[in-house]
Amino acid sequence: MRPTLVLLPGMDGTGELFEPLLQALPATQPVLVLRYPLDGPQHPAALANWVGPQLPADRPFVLLGESFSGPVAILLAAAAPPGLQGLVLCASFARKPSRLPAALAPLAKVLAQLPRPTWAVSAALLGPHATPALRERLTGALAQLPPAVLAARLQAVLHGDVRAALRQTRLPLLLLEAQHDRLVPARCQRELLALRPDAERVAFAAPHLLLQCAPQAAAQALLAFVDRLVSPCAAAQSAAR
């Protein structure tokens, strides 16, 4: 049996934006999409505690953290839950991607209350890859996000730093990098590689939402990663750890 691919969503927290990737994955690849709660703390440690009990307990799995969820996935991987065989970070980071000081985090509450122009959000997340269908899916997902929750997640990004946890991880790591990312700069990918020089990196000519804009290529990279994890060679290496 192939390991289940557990998908942790980006800032929207709905998991609905994974649909293009789900359509690109074969039926033989088990997938579990998680959705974040709209109440309670929204920082990575709290969300990791919320996700933990929902992880597969009776079968192996691979954890993917998209963007905002990268730190959540890192904290979970550092805790080494039974069955976890690999970690994937997609267009993500180990600490705040913005150069803005954390002292400006209170402004997140103000920004979250402002109207969200569709064109600006689309340009930032989808770039020239935007299609009517993708824009509609993105708008629908973000519309479900209350301003208070958005503000809490923005603050979590500005304050977060899970570099120490990433150093503790020993599982195979795959980095999916969006080369045309307007939100997460390339230095974040360099930092991830500096913390885990053994990580595998696959770059895509895509914007921040690379799983949505390049689903076929992303699916191929994920399947290849999972295949290597279940190969006899990978199993031997895992047993030797």
Side-chain angles (χ1 to χ4, degrees):
M1 177 184 295
R2 297 176 65 85
T4 297
L5 185 59
V6 179
L7 304 180
L8 303 183
M11 183 73 73
D12 67 289
T14 66
E16 295 178 7
L17 294 178
F18 286 128
E19 186 59 30
L21 176 66
L22 297 179
Q23 294 178 3
L25 290 169
T28 54
Q29 175 58 59
V31 180
L32 172 63
V33 178
L34 296 184
R35 182 186 183 105
Y36 288 143
L38 295 178
D39 57 350
Q42 299 294 320
H43 56 81
L47 292 176
N49 288 335
W50 184 86
V51 168
Q54 302 185 63
L55 295 175
D58 57 349
R59 59 192 186 277
F61 64 96
V62 174
L63 192 59
L64 183 150
E66 180 186 33
S67 186
F68 168 79
S69 284
V72 180
I74 289 171
L75 290 177
L76 288 166
L84 179 58
Q85 293 192 340
L87 173 64
V88 182
L89 300 178
C90 177
S92 196
F93 46 86
R95 59 173 170 169
K96 62 177 182 181
S98 170
R99 294 189 182 276
L100 292 175
L104 295 179
L107 289 178
K109 294 183 179 180
V110 177
L111 294 174
Q113 295 289 341
L114 297 176
R116 304 165 203 173
T118 303
W119 63 267
V121 173
S122 176
L125 299 179
L126 299 171
H129 296 261
T131 64
L134 282 176
R135 282 194 294 266
E136 182 179 0
R137 190 177 298 277
L138 176 60
T139 301
L142 293 177
Q144 302 176 50
L145 190 58
V149 176
L150 174 59
R153 291 177 185 171
L154 287 172
Q155 289 179 317
V157 170
L158 289 174
H159 285 293
D161 187 341
V162 296
R163 288 175 293 174
L166 183 57
R167 291 191 193 96
Q168 296 174 17
T169 61
R170 295 293 181 270
L171 292 166
L173 171 61
L174 172 63
L175 304 178
L176 302 182
E177 178 184 353
Q179 292 179 313
H180 306 312
D181 200 328
R182 296 179 178 177
L183 295 184
V184 178
R187 64 177 175 80
C188 291
Q189 302 300 312
R190 293 194 296 269
E191 183 170 64
L192 293 174
L193 283 170
L195 293 167
R196 282 288 307 270
D198 61 317
E200 179 184 349
R201 170 181 168 271
V202 180
F204 301 82
H208 184 67
L209 292 183
L210 74 87
L211 297 179
Q212 294 71 27
C213 295
Q216 294 290 343
Q220 291 178 7
L222 289 170
L223 291 171
F225 181 64
V226 172
D227 285 342
R228 287 190 289 275
L229 293 178
V230 300
S231 69
C233 179
Q237 291 176 350
S238 177
R241 289 192 180 97

